Structure formats: structure tokens, C-alpha cells
Amino acid sequence: RVAMMFAFYSGQWLAVIGFLPLIAMQAGWSGAALGGLTALAAAVNIVGNLATGHFLQRGVAPPALLYVGFIGMGLGAIAAFAGAPQTGLSPLLRYFGVLVFSMVGGFIPATLFALAVRLAPNQMTIATTVGWVQQWSAFGQFAGPPAVAWIASRAGGWQWTWLVCCACSALGLVLAARIAGPPRR
């Protein structure tokens, strides 16, 4: 379940951040700003990852962090893409949605790596468990961007990107609820 959640996280995150320069260019942002906008969106994900370590050290339950992460990604994707550009939201507000998507989404990977170590069947399988999580992350990165690109090509734009992100987030939430019991030692 932890590994599958990583796939649902990484697939949507890489799709949004990977296509962000193209999306921003099509929204009318200048070429000079595209690199900076994408770098900032990736950097705020680091902030979310680091904050997660702080929260876990303070005793915040991993499922709570996963819930916040997946819900934040879904809401950020809706703000960034739902009906764009017909929503009336300015490109700046939609970009803010991307920043929320990325930063709050940063709660997910750090939490999942912590859970992988805690939920490994025994000490001898920690490395294998973490490797399995990494493989599912790679699968999400492999499958997510083409799924978003297919939806965008069928829709004639990025306005339905939120749907893929919300589906991934919903599946992540279901899996997070399934691991909400106390971690095994």
C-alpha cells in the first residue's frame, strides 16, 4: 500500500511539474519566467518534505500527513487546472494552485519513506521494502505524465489535468485510510 501510494503521488507530481513550462507558455507567460516558475514549484516540494520530518518528530500521525498531502494536491490541481482558462482565475492564482499542489504534496514522500521502514515485515526486509517503494515511485513517474498528456490531447488543453490528479489523490487517500492503524515495530 505504501508503494502504491508513492506511485499515485509521483505520477501526478511529475506530470504537473514536468509539463509546467509548456502549460505556463500556453497560458501566456514569457520564456524567461518559465524556468524560474518551474524551479520554484519544484523547490516548494522540498519545503513540504522537510516540514514532514519536523511533523513526524513532533508525533503527527503519518496517515494525517498523507491525508493533508493528497487532499492538498487535489485542491491545488483543481485551482490550477479546472476549467482553465475559462475559470476566470488569473494565471497567477492558478500558479499559486500549483505551488500548493507541490508544497503540500511534499508531505507524502517523506511520510511514505518513514512508513516503509516502520512497516517492513522485519529488519532483514527494510532495504527490499524501500526498494519496492522506489520501484512504484518510478512506475508512477512512467505512467502519470503520459496519462495527463493523453487527457490534455483529447480535451484540447490542460483544463482536465485536475481530474487525473484528483483520481490519483483519491486512490492515495483510500490507501492511506487502509494503513491508518498503529505502525508495527
Side-chain angles (χ1 to χ4, degrees):
R1 292 177 190 144
V2 169
M4 289 172 50
M5 275 188 281
F6 217 129
F8 292 128
Y9 159 78
S10 67
Q12 65 177 313
W13 189 84
L14 188 61
V16 170
I17 303 306
F19 289 126
L20 187 57
L22 177 60
I23 295 166
M25 185 177 68
Q26 291 175 348
W29 293 74
S30 73
L34 298 178
L37 293 171
T38 304
L40 179 59
V44 298
N45 188 262
I46 296 168
V47 173
N49 275 269
L50 293 173
T52 300
H54 174 77
F55 294 139
L56 288 170
Q57 289 288 331
R58 301 280 179 288
V60 176
L65 293 168
L66 294 171
Y67 297 150
V68 170
F70 281 118
I71 290 169
M73 288 184 89
L75 293 175
I78 289 169
F81 301 109
Q86 297 85 3
T87 60
L89 290 179
S90 72
L92 188 58
L93 285 176
R94 289 200 309 264
Y95 179 69
F96 182 73
V98 171
L99 293 178
V100 169
F101 169 90
S102 185
M103 183 165 32
V104 179
F107 290 8
I108 297 169
T111 303
L112 293 177
F113 277 119
L115 281 173
V117 172
R118 288 187 207 170
L119 297 177
N122 60 53
Q123 290 285 83
M124 300 296 294
T125 61
I126 291 174
T128 305
T129 302
V130 170
W132 185 244
V133 168
Q134 290 174 329
Q135 287 299 311
W136 276 87
S137 172
F139 176 74
Q141 293 171 36
F142 171 77
V148 168
W150 183 78
I151 293 291
S153 69
R154 301 293 291 173
W158 302 100
Q159 66 270 19
W160 290 104
T161 300
W162 69 272
L163 191 61
V164 176
C165 294
C166 285
C168 287
S169 290
L171 292 168
L173 286 169
V174 168
L175 291 170
R178 301 280 318 266
I179 61 155
R184 291 180 290 170
R185 294 265 175 205

